Amino acid sequence: MIIDESGSSVQNLNLCSLLQFDSESSSVISSGQLWTLLQKHGSELDPHKLDVLVALAHSSADGKICYQDVLNLMCNKRSDSFRRAILQGNRRLCNKSLLEESSLDLTQRLIRHVAYETLPREIDRKWFYDNYTGCPPPWFMITVTIVEVAIFVYYGLLLDRFILQVTHPQYLKKNPLVYHPQLRVQAWRYLSYMFMHAGIEHLGVNVALQLVVGVPLEMVHGALRVGFVYVAGVLAGSLAVSVADMTAPVVGSSGGVYAIASAHLANIVMNWSGMRCQFKLLRTSFALICMSLEFGRAVWLRFSPSSHTLCPPPSFVAHLGGVVVGITLGVVILRNFGQRLTDQWLWWLFLGGSALFVAFAVLWNLFAFSLPGLRLPPPP
């Protein structure tokens, strides 16, 4: 019996059989030995896990398979060597695909739908489908959304305005969340601005995108990865504004939303032939149209004739900062399902580039705002 990390038993693939195949401690077993093991114990396995083992057996060009890869699979662990073994083989999956399975309950259909929405390879979809337990739930996206809506409603009631709330002359007054160039020394504002929105139209688009895109991504990749992309997009948005649009405040979670949305859309485009989500062209086009309309609204708000001189119009540059994060860090993080990022050289490259940008932006904020001729808006 193999025991997973939590101490519970997994499939009854006989561990003693595996150990006798590796009696010489060579760390490999032959594909013939693995086939013998599958013939004896294959009926005890989940059909999707059996598919992966069969693909692993077919993938060996020299007839040798890493013993640890088989153990990792049975203990619900994954490694880069395992992924390479599968992808470099003939990728043979003996059983039918998830889409062909019937008699699934509502929860199983939802998990299958999420798998096909976010993952381009059948072997990854089956892995996710077999191992997803719903614990923990996608709490990050849900929590962020609830907080954003609650704060918006609070200020809507306080200002008695919900449409184009940002144009209210008291919008910035004593507001502890909005990023403002005169208050840039209050470092939390580089992140906390994501909880404020320009109006209900701004909030609606952001909330819809982060729930429709962010929740399935968090179910597949976890709160840590998706949360990192989201927060990195928010931080990149405010820092990009402080560099490229120095006189403007920033509100809204568009930096984070555009980071996860652009990362997801980039993965769909790069793996177009492997994605099996329904109406993918229509849905991708719809997402791009919504993002473009929201970006256009932000540009219009920034450059439209201002009738609210006490409240300078917010910047749109945060959207661009989020997109850059999404198509760099976000693509790397969300592309490697179940794999360690520390083994990905692109992860270190983009992480190093992001660190350099943050360092540059910090120095810019320390020295560039004291340049002669720069006219900042009055403090709120």
Side-chain angles (χ1 to χ4, degrees):
M1 181 80 69
I2 297 176
I3 306 298
D4 65 10
E5 293 176 339
S6 63
S8 60
S9 63
V10 294
Q11 303 297 332
N12 293 318
L13 186 60
N14 196 303
L15 181 57
C16 295
S17 300
L18 284 175
L19 292 175
Q20 73 180 12
F21 286 144
D22 193 39
S23 58
E24 300 179 356
S25 299
S26 60
S27 299
V28 297
I29 60 176
S30 70
S31 56
Q33 290 171 325
L34 180 57
W35 276 116
T36 300
L37 192 62
L38 293 178
Q39 289 172 356
K40 289 182 178 180
H41 302 282
S43 61
E44 303 170 7
L45 297 174
D46 285 337
H48 301 150
K49 188 167 289 185
L50 179 61
D51 275 355
V52 177
L53 279 171
V54 170
L56 183 63
H58 278 287
S59 69
S60 175
D62 56 1
K64 296 180 180 180
I65 299 167
C66 178
Y67 167 74
Q68 188 61 45
D69 282 343
V70 181
L71 287 183
N72 286 346
L73 173 64
M74 300 312 303
C75 294
N76 293 333
K77 299 178 183 177
R78 305 190 77 177
S79 65
D80 288 332
S81 60
F82 174 81
R83 174 178 283 272
R84 287 193 297 269
I86 296 298
L87 295 182
Q88 291 173 2
N90 60 14
R91 308 182 189 186
R92 179 175 177 179
L93 295 176
C94 297
N95 290 340
K96 58 186 178 182
S97 68
L98 284 177
L99 283 178
E100 296 172 342
E101 295 189 3
S102 57
S103 302
L104 300 181
D105 59 31
L106 183 61
T107 301
Q108 291 172 322
R109 289 179 181 274
L110 174 62
I111 296 173
R112 182 178 66 177
H113 174 76
V114 170
Y116 277 92
E117 285 293 308
T118 56
L119 295 171
R121 300 182 182 93
E122 186 69 17
I123 197 168
D124 285 335
R125 297 178 194 127
K126 290 187 173 183
W127 183 279
F128 167 73
Y129 179 84
D130 281 337
N131 291 280
Y132 183 73
T133 62
C135 185
W139 59 268
F140 178 81
M141 279 290 117
I142 294 175
T143 301
V144 167
T145 300
I146 292 174
V147 174
E148 290 173 356
V149 172
I151 290 177
F152 176 80
V153 171
Y154 169 77
Y155 276 94
L157 295 174
L158 183 67
L159 303 175
D160 194 24
R161 178 178 294 183
F162 290 91
I163 305 297
L164 286 180
Q165 196 177 82
V166 71
T167 61
H168 195 287
Q170 298 297 315
Y171 183 81
L172 294 180
K173 293 293 184 181
K174 299 180 181 180
N175 191 312
L177 301 176
V178 175
Y179 168 84
H180 192 282
Q182 291 281 22
L183 302 174
R184 63 189 181 280
V185 295
Q186 298 175 0
W188 71 84
R189 292 178 181 267
Y190 288 90
L191 292 175
S192 64
Y193 77 92
M194 73 179 190
F195 297 113
M196 297 293 298
H197 286 82
I200 195 170
E201 70 289 345
H202 187 200
L203 176 72
V205 173
N206 283 344
V207 164
L209 282 175
Q210 68 190 28
L211 289 179
V212 172
V213 177
V215 169
L217 288 178
E218 187 175 346
M219 290 174 63
V220 173
H221 298 283
L224 183 61
R225 292 193 181 205
V226 174
F228 180 84
V229 176
Y230 189 90
V231 173
V234 171
L235 180 60
S238 56
L239 290 177
V241 170
S242 70
V243 172
D245 198 3
M246 299 169 63
T247 62
V250 190
V251 296
S253 59
S254 297
V257 172
Y258 276 54
I260 59 174
S262 59
H264 179 55
L265 292 177
N267 272 325
I268 290 178
V269 172
M270 289 189 299
N271 300 283
W272 189 262
S273 60
M275 299 301 295
R276 292 292 182 266
C277 49
Q278 291 183 323
F279 310 111
K280 59 184 178 182
L281 179 60
L282 177 62
R283 298 172 70 170
T284 301
S285 301
F286 180 75
L288 289 174
I289 290 172
C290 288
M291 294 171 66
S292 300
L293 289 175
E294 157 59 16
F295 180 72
R297 182 209 59 82
V299 173
W300 170 82
L301 192 62
R302 179 72 178 97
F303 294 110
S304 63
S306 177
S307 60
H308 44 280
T309 57
L310 295 179
C311 180
S315 178
F316 60 88
V317 177
H319 298 68
L320 303 179
V323 170
V324 172
V325 168
I327 62 178
T328 53
L329 275 175
V331 166
V332 175
I333 290 175
L334 302 184
R335 183 181 61 188
N336 299 289
F337 169 64
Q339 301 299 295
R340 292 176 298 177
L341 291 174
T342 53
D343 296 332
Q344 306 293 328
W345 67 270
L346 274 177
W347 154 256
W348 291 108
L349 176 64
F350 290 139
L351 185 64
S354 300
L356 288 176
F357 169 71
V358 171
F360 168 77
V362 169
L363 293 175
W364 182 272
N365 277 267
L366 289 176
F367 301 108
F369 280 83
S370 61
L371 293 175
L374 180 64
R375 301 181 60 181
L376 295 178

